[in-house]
C-alpha cells in the first residue's frame, strides 16, 4: 500500500497538466530538493542506484495559482547515490531503490556531460 501511495505522489508531482478548450494550462515539472541543490527529472537513462543518501523534498505543485490552495506542503522521498555520478550532479529518488528515478542538476537547459553519457540511444 505504501509503495502505491508513493507512486501516486510521484505521478501527481511529476505532471499536472490539463487542457481547456484546446489551450494547455500550466503544468508542474518534477523537481527535487536535496542538500541545497534543485534536481529535475531525466528520462530514458540507464543508471544504477547506489547507497541511500538520506531525505529529499518534492516541492508542492501549484499549477493553478488562482485556486486559493497555496497551503500545499512539500512531500518527502528518499535520495540515493547514482553509481559513477557525483550526488552534486545527479541522484535517484524514490521510496525504494528499485522504484527510484533519476534527477539531475541542469545548467540552463543542458544536462551535465556525465548524464548525457547515460542516455539510452534510440
Amino acid at each position: 500500500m505504501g509503495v502505491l501511495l508513493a507512486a501516486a505522489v510521484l505521478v501527481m508531482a511529476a505532471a499536472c497538466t490539463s487542457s481547456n478548450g484546446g489551450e494547455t494550462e500550466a503544468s508542474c515539472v518534477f523537481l527535487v530538493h536535496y542538500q541545497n541543490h534543485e534536481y529535475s527529472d531525466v528520462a530514458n537513462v540507464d543508471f544504477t542506484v547506489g547507497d541511500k543518501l538520506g531525505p529529499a523534498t518534492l516541492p508542492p505543485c501549484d499549477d493553478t495559482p488562482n485556486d486559493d490552495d497555496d497551503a500545499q506542503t512539500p512531500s518527502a522521498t528518499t535520495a540515493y547515490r547514482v553509481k559513477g555520478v557525483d550526488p552534486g550532479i545527479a541522484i535517484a529518488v524514490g521510496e525504494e531503490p528499485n522504484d527510484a528515478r533519476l534527477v539531475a542538476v541542469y545548467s540552463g537547459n543542458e544536462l551535465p556531460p556525465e548524464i548525457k553519457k547515460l542516455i539510452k540511444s534510440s
Side-chain angles (χ1 to χ4, degrees):
M1 181 72 160
V3 172
L4 290 176
L5 180 59
V9 169
L10 288 176
V11 168
M12 288 187 298
C16 5
T17 8
S18 61
S19 178
N20 185 6
E23 295 180 31
T24 302
E25 295 178 10
S27 67
C28 295
V29 175
F30 185 80
L31 296 176
V32 177
H33 294 153
Y34 175 73
Q35 292 194 347
N36 300 319
H37 289 77
E38 184 173 80
Y39 300 82
S40 297
D41 192 29
V42 182
N44 301 320
V45 179
D46 188 19
F47 66 98
T48 303
V49 177
D51 297 332
K52 181 177 176 179
L53 295 170
T57 305
L58 302 169
C61 175
D62 186 16
D63 66 339
T64 51
N66 297 324
D67 67 356
D68 296 327
D69 189 18
D70 294 332
Q72 298 176 0
T73 57
S75 56
T77 190
T78 303
Y80 298 92
R81 182 175 298 279
V82 174
K83 289 190 178 180
V85 180
D86 183 290
I89 295 172
I91 57 174
V93 293
E95 293 308 311
E96 299 292 330
N98 61 346
D99 72 357
R101 65 197 289 176
L102 185 81
V103 291
V105 175
Y106 284 72
S107 175
N109 290 332
E110 290 291 316
L111 279 171
E114 298 87 343
I115 304 307
K116 287 181 180 179
K117 292 178 187 176
L118 300 175
I119 294 178
K120 296 177 185 176
S121 26
S122 35

